[in-house]
Amino acid sequence: NAGVMQNPRHLVRRRGQEARLRCSPVKGHSHVYWYRQLPEEGLKFMVYLQKENIIDESGMPKERFSAEFPKEGPSILRIQQVVRGDSAAYFCASSPGLSFYEQYFGPGTRLTVT
Amino acid sequence: AQTVTQSQPEMSVQEAETVTLSCTYDTSENNYYLFWYKQPPSRQMILVIRQEAYKQQNATENRFSVNFQKAAKSFSLKISDSQLGDTAMYFCAFMKHADTGNQFYFGTGTSLTVIP
């Protein structure tokens, strides 16, 4: 009865490198949400995906950030050419579908850019 | 646009006492959900309690209860008999249902410290 899994839990990258964050939703959940939490702030919505589809990416920066949720495998949030301002905790949440109002959160990935 | 405001960045309470965390929101929606999430030092987001806007009765979960005032757009969390394990960040969240998916909006959080 595994919950949402995220890995790695901690990721250190140098400026200019790429960061890949992975999220495995609760088994059977087909909806995934990514949030970013900057220090001392609440969670900010980034992107909402269903299997093989990006539904809403209105919270995603236009450049360097991308997300996918393939038919098989985890959802991936990719940040290219990371900068110091990307340092944050990135949370993934999943839900079974549109009619479900509750999201189940993963433990988050803390990204540090040096 | 929906906004969620938590005006108390930090609060403290003596163990076994009662504390109330404030939350207000702004929306033009009529049907929505409200949540309180707890984020302990482990950073895991844990759902504490939820309230459906169409329900007039305030939600209660053991020591946690809410005071939902729909007209005032207020959604405060009351923690009774505070325990040391309640020390955490608490986030108020608003959710509206859209055809393309459920959209969540979070407040900036209240850091609660339970003092032994």
Side-chain angles (χ1 to χ4, degrees):
Chain A
N1 189 20
V4 177
M5 310 282 283
Q6 287 187 251
N7 66 80
R9 294 293 307 275
H10 300 276
L11 181 62
V12 180
R13 284 287 178 266
R14 290 200 177 113
R15 278 181 298 173
Q17 291 185 320
E18 178 180 285
R20 278 189 177 227
L21 288 62
R22 284 176 288 278
C23 168
S24 296
V26 173
K27 188 176 181 181
H29 286 193
S30 57
H31 296 236
V32 165
Y33 302 77
W34 284 94
Y35 296 86
R36 177 164 64 176
Q37 184 180 30
L38 294 171
E40 312 301 325
E41 293 188 12
L43 276 69
K44 293 283 171 53
F45 167 78
M46 297 182 74
V47 62
Y48 162 46
L49 309 106
Q50 295 178 21
K51 288 278 188 181
E52 300 183 281
N53 280 311
I54 297 174
I55 306 302
D56 181 353
E57 56 182 347
S58 58
M60 194 99 99
K62 293 288 185 280
E63 298 177 352
R64 302 188 298 107
F65 285 72
S66 63
E68 63 177 10
F69 188 19
K71 187 177 180 182
E72 301 290 337
S75 175
I76 306 287
L77 178 67
R78 181 198 294 181
I79 311 172
Q80 296 177 303
Q81 300 175 337
V82 295
V83 300
R84 287 238 172 93
D86 297 333
S87 295
Y90 292 83
F91 288 90
C92 168
S94 74
S95 74
L98 278 178
S99 60
F100 293 85
Y101 48 76
E102 187 167 331
Q103 295 190 344
Y104 298 81
F105 280 86
T109 294
R110 180 178 291 281
L111 172 65
T112 302
V113 179
T114 61
Chain B
Q2 276 62 228
T3 58
V4 179
T5 302
Q6 292 179 251
S7 58
Q8 306 153 313
E10 296 181 355
M11 292 193 71
S12 61
V13 62
Q14 288 290 141
E15 191 176 7
E17 297 293 309
T18 295
V19 64
T20 299
L21 309 184
S22 302
C23 173
T24 58
Y25 58 95
D26 188 21
T27 184
S28 58
E29 302 287 328
N30 193 44
N31 294 319
Y32 50 87
Y33 295 85
L34 295 162
F35 304 83
W36 278 97
Y37 280 89
K38 170 184 176 181
Q39 187 180 45
S42 67
R43 301 196 70 83
Q44 175 77 54
M45 293 286 284
I46 302 165
L47 177 66
V48 174
I49 198 165
R50 65 171 174 260
Q51 173 82 42
E52 293 89 338
Y54 62 85
K55 288 187 177 178
Q56 293 185 339
Q57 186 173 7
N58 288 325
T60 298
E61 287 287 341
N62 301 313
R63 298 182 295 108
F64 299 88
S65 61
V66 298
N67 182 6
F68 174 46
Q69 303 288 329
K70 190 171 184 179
K73 296 180 182 174
S74 171
F75 183 61
S76 61
L77 174 69
K78 185 171 84 170
I79 306 175
S80 304
D81 186 24
S82 297
Q83 301 175 0
L84 296 179
D86 295 335
T87 292
M89 282 289 287
Y90 286 82
F91 292 98
C92 178
F94 167 98
M95 189 213 84
K96 70 170 186 176
H97 179 72
D99 291 339
T100 55
N102 299 327
Q103 298 178 344
F104 277 72
Y105 302 85
F106 286 82
T108 52
T110 296
S111 177
L112 176 68
T113 301
V114 179
I115 302 167

